[in-house]
Amino acid sequence: MRESICSIVLGFESVIMFLATLAVFGLKALPWPMALGGGAALCVLLLATIPLLGRPFGIALGWLLQLIILASAILVPLMLIVAVLFGGMWVFAVVRGGMIDRENARLAGQP
């Protein structure tokens, strides 16, 4: 369950990061190569992490991406809103998804 919930968060986050990239480019908040290149790389990394969530390093990579998005608020302060909202959803997905997985494992072990 944790993989499913986390993949939903990363999928939606990639869409929002794409739109944020366009906004940063349109507002000229950063030079265009940095805005478009960095935003595209982040979107690709978010999407590429989804199939890796079943592996031990997949969740850690998700955490790293959340920190990168938080760090992007240094360059574009409005990214703090995205970082806080999706960071909160990521924490919820990891914690609650893990709780659901443990509960399902416990119930599967009962006769």
Side-chain angles (χ1 to χ4, degrees), residues 18-36:
F18 172 74
L19 296 172
T21 298
L22 294 177
V24 169
F25 171 72
L27 293 172
K28 296 181 171 64
L30 294 174
W32 72 267
M34 185 181 216
L36 294 179

Side-chain angles (χ1 to χ4, degrees), residues 8-22:
I8 292 168
V9 171
L10 290 180
F12 280 121
E13 191 168 17
S14 69
V15 171
I16 297 302
M17 287 308 300
F18 172 74
L19 296 172
T21 298
L22 294 177

Side-chain angles (χ1 to χ4, degrees), residues 23-89:
V24 169
F25 171 72
L27 293 172
K28 296 181 171 64
L30 294 174
W32 72 267
M34 185 181 216
L36 294 179
L42 196 51
C43 289
V44 168
L45 283 172
L46 285 164
L47 291 174
T49 302
I50 292 173
L52 302 174
L53 290 173
R55 299 184 179 169
F57 63 88
I59 298 293
L61 183 57
W63 282 109
L64 178 64
L65 291 172
Q66 300 306 315
L67 290 175
I68 290 170
I69 292 170
L70 180 62
S72 72
I74 294 170
L75 299 174
V76 181
L78 288 175
M79 288 302 295
L80 185 61
I81 297 168
V82 174
V84 169
L85 290 175
F86 278 97
M89 284 190 273

